[in-house]
Amino acid sequence: MSQLDQIVQQRKSVRSYDPKYVISKEEIENLLRLASEAPSSSNLQPWRVMVIKNKELQKELRAIGNNQAQIEESSAIVAILGDSEAYKNAEKIFNQNVEEGHVSQEIANNTIKNTLNFYPNVPEETRKLIAAYDAGAFAMQFMLLAKDRGYDTVTMGGFDKEKFAKRFELPANVFPITLIALGKAQAPAFGTSRLPVESFTTFYE
């Protein structure tokens, strides 16, 4: 098996963490930078991230996260959010593409124009679905990268998203999607089974 094969199989949802284990801000930033290589619709990168390392804040967050112990005991909580107005960054993103030599200014200008003509007319609910899908790709990439570096994670959708948004005063266009506990396992994760490929796949050959 390749190293990636092994990482995919080794990554499990860990719910018991060493509360004394510290992961540096710089290490988390590196993981986030690499995770941001994930694909996104029109390259708008609609994920937004909050990293919560403050233990008092983690304890407070546990109260709105169905009292899940890993929220308080992990080294950090990485909150993955979506931005339904990510298209407003089109000019910044595509001009950066020009600066880095990926495309010409003409192509960037056309892309910016098309993006700003299209996305504002898409229903907000659809834009939120797009953002959630793209943020999911980011989150999965982050967890695999974390495992590759010897860390453990679990993703949690079971928290009060309205209370979270209110506590952190999120703007109307930014919404919480999932919380990822990041740290070192104190107890191993439970193994889990997977349905066979033929149970969820149809081939047309």
Side-chain angles (χ1 to χ4, degrees):
M1 291 194 299
S2 71
Q3 183 178 353
L4 178 58
D5 292 341
Q6 294 176 49
I7 292 300
V8 168
Q9 291 193 336
Q10 291 168 5
R11 189 220 60 81
K12 301 294 180 185
S13 295
V14 169
R15 292 177 171 81
S16 179
Y17 290 85
D18 179 354
K20 296 180 180 179
Y21 192 85
V22 176
I23 302 176
S24 71
K25 176 183 177 181
E26 291 73 22
E27 177 75 320
I28 296 174
E29 285 178 332
N30 187 45
L31 289 170
L32 293 171
R33 180 182 60 79
L34 289 168
S36 71
E37 296 286 346
S40 61
S41 178
S42 301
N43 192 34
L44 293 178
Q45 305 162 54
W47 44 76
R48 304 291 176 261
V49 180
M50 294 171 55
V51 179
I52 302 166
K53 288 170 59 68
N54 179 283
K55 285 301 176 184
E56 288 301 315
L57 196 50
Q58 283 180 257
K59 183 176 181 179
E60 183 181 343
L61 186 56
R62 178 175 178 173
I64 64 175
N66 293 325
N67 196 35
Q68 297 178 80
Q70 62 266 24
I71 294 177
E72 185 176 353
E73 295 172 356
S74 58
S75 301
I77 291 297
V78 180
I80 307 296
L81 320 173
D83 184 353
S84 63
E85 295 182 356
Y87 64 86
K88 292 183 177 180
N89 286 324
E91 189 170 354
K92 176 182 179 181
I93 290 169
F94 295 112
N95 282 333
Q96 183 177 336
N97 282 346
V98 175
E99 292 171 8
E100 294 179 3
H102 302 307
V103 298
S104 67
Q105 188 66 62
E106 181 182 4
I107 291 175
N109 290 342
N110 286 334
T111 305
I112 293 167
K113 179 181 177 182
N114 292 336
T115 299
L116 296 180
N117 283 338
F118 175 74
Y119 279 94
N121 297 312
V122 174
E124 182 182 10
E125 191 59 35
T126 300
R127 285 189 271 115
K128 290 181 75 173
L129 287 172
I130 293 170
Y133 180 89
D134 292 345
F138 175 96
M140 189 70 252
Q141 196 140 297
F142 177 86
M143 289 188 287
L144 290 174
L145 288 161
K147 188 61 184 176
D148 186 51
R149 283 155 177 74
Y151 305 126
D152 297 291
T153 56
V154 63
T155 181
M156 299 166 282
F159 64 102
D160 192 319
K161 294 178 175 62
E162 289 187 11
K163 287 184 179 179
F164 183 96
K166 183 177 180 180
R167 169 62 182 82
F168 293 101
E169 301 179 336
L170 300 183
N173 56 296
V174 175
F175 59 99
I177 297 171
T178 192
L179 304 177
I180 299 175
L182 173 68
K184 276 282 189 178
Q186 188 161 253
F190 294 109
T192 54
S193 62
R194 290 295 182 267
L195 295 170
V197 172
E198 57 268 22
S199 72
F200 59 80
T201 306
T202 302
F203 282 94
Y204 296 88
E205 298 182 280

